[in-house]
Amino acid sequence: MKAFVFPGQGAQFVGMGKDLYENSPLAKDLFEKANDILGFRITDLMFEGTDEDLRQTKVTQPAVFLHSVISALAKEEEFAPQMVAGHSLGEFSALVAAGALTFEDGLKLVYARALAMQKACEATAGTMAAILGLADDKVVEICKKVTDEGDVCVAANLNNPGQIVISGTIEGVQKACELMKEAGAKRALPLKVGGAFHSPLMAPAKAELEQAIHATTIHTPKCPVYQNVDAQAHTLPEEIKANLIAQLTASVRWTESVQHMVADGAVEFIECGPGTALQGMIKKIVPEVEAHSL
């Protein structure tokens, strides 16, 4: 079975989507539709902007979503998903690809999410760091210790065995990084991000996103969608909505998601969107399967 997967924030680069815009009439039409929906020419920022432009959460999220979804939809004859999953933001791309969300509704939700998260980031300073070469349970244990001592720090992205991204207050993440290195982590790398995504610090954004999601029609997808919060396959619209809301402050359980997809028959993973990060993670989780870009 073919599994299509969609990347999240961090995969963006200047020039993303320009080749699609110039070579596919369908892609051009969808990009122009996106410009109209957003009320500004996001294509100008994607094609000719700066790294700084693309690092703004309110730009990054719709930009990655557009590149991912349009790259899939523009390959109509090659795009026949039997299961889908997305990493964080990529879950919205996956839902559009599976027919659970329309392109327009998906973009509106992603933009609402981005603006809500930007506000939460500005309200409380937070950060993230990648922990490499330490057992997952040890990372979780250290995060809990830091949080119990008064700072916020959680395991935010469980990407693949030996690679977890932690998230929380600046002090909490700094303290955790020191403890991780003392515990034997090969590296503890601070990330250039605007806030503490997938942590309790995103709670203020939840009410805003919840309102937008409940006002949006989610259809029964044409194939199972493996969602981040529980790594399980979902097809019921109400479950999908609840999981999208919970995802803001919950961990991205990517390792388990990939394992469950393989257990359910996935033998080929196709990444749709900018970058190749998901392929790298998948090859570390299940080296025996094929993983490549669309």
Side-chain angles (χ1 to χ4, degrees):
M1 291 175 75
K2 288 185 179 182
F4 285 77
V5 293
F6 299 82
Q9 200 162 336
Q12 69 276 3
F13 63 90
V14 175
M16 59 192 284
K18 190 175 182 182
D19 56 336
L20 284 166
Y21 185 95
E22 292 174 346
N23 296 304
S24 165
L26 172 60
K28 184 175 182 179
D29 180 57
L30 290 172
F31 274 122
E32 288 299 340
K33 191 177 282 187
N35 287 333
D36 292 340
I37 290 169
L38 294 172
F40 67 95
R41 291 195 62 80
I42 192 168
T43 49
D44 291 349
L45 299 176
M46 291 172 68
F47 304 165
E48 312 290 347
T50 64
D51 289 335
E52 194 58 41
D53 291 330
L54 285 181
R55 265 201 296 271
Q56 299 176 71
T57 296
K58 63 185 180 184
V59 176
T60 310
Q61 294 199 18
V64 172
F65 167 86
L66 287 171
H67 187 285
S68 301
V69 169
I70 293 173
S71 67
L73 298 182
K75 295 261 192 181
E76 293 170 284
E77 69 288 347
E78 296 172 43
F79 187 69
Q82 293 164 295
M83 55 178 74
V84 296
H87 191 285
S88 187
L89 159 71
E91 194 159 279
F92 290 83
S93 309
L95 287 166
V96 173
L101 280 171
T102 65
F103 172 78
E104 294 82 358
D105 284 346
L107 178 58
K108 288 173 188 173
L109 275 184
V110 164
Y111 194 48
R113 179 183 190 263
L115 292 176
M117 288 173 74
Q118 182 101 31
K119 269 193 258 179
C121 291
E122 289 163 4
T124 309
T127 192
M128 302 176 82
I131 309 302
L132 308 179
L134 193 61
D136 294 3
D137 56 353
K138 189 66 181 174
V139 173
V140 172
E141 180 190 315
I142 290 171
C143 287
K144 185 178 184 305
K145 173 180 165 64
V146 170
T147 300
D148 288 347
E149 289 174 358
D151 288 303
V152 176
C153 187
V154 297
N157 300 343
L158 289 85
N159 288 335
N160 55 250
Q163 189 203 109
I164 290 184
V165 174
I166 62 172
S167 181
T169 58
I170 292 169
E171 297 78 8
V173 170
Q174 286 175 343
K175 192 184 293 182
C177 283
E178 290 306 314
L179 292 171
M180 301 282 180
K181 286 187 274 192
E182 287 172 17
K186 289 178 183 173
R187 301 186 79 181
L189 303 170
L191 301 179
K192 291 180 181 176
V193 292
F197 305 133
H198 298 288
S199 83
L201 272 63
M202 286 294 109
K206 215 169 185 178
E208 229 171 296
L209 181 64
E210 186 169 5
Q211 194 175 352
I213 286 173
H214 283 312
T216 302
T217 300
I218 292 187
H219 307 277
T220 301
K222 59 191 175 190
C223 66
V225 181
Y226 289 73
Q227 292 191 273
N228 293 172
V229 292
D230 60 3
Q232 300 292 335
H234 292 276
T235 55
L236 297 177
E238 288 309 310
E239 285 183 4
I240 290 169
K241 282 187 176 186
N243 289 337
L244 281 179
I245 295 161
Q247 193 223 61
L248 259 190
T249 53
S251 301
V252 174
R253 294 166 64 176
W254 189 250
T255 298
E256 292 172 85
S257 297
V258 172
Q259 289 169 338
H260 288 160
M261 293 169 93
V262 170
D264 292 343
V267 294
E268 181 182 359
F269 285 83
I270 300 149
E271 184 170 4
C272 307
T276 59
L278 297 185
Q279 296 164 56
M281 293 177 197
I282 290 163
K283 285 171 182 172
K284 287 176 181 169
I285 299 165
V286 278
E288 68 275 13
V289 304
E290 187 182 341
H292 57 86
S293 295
L294 180 66

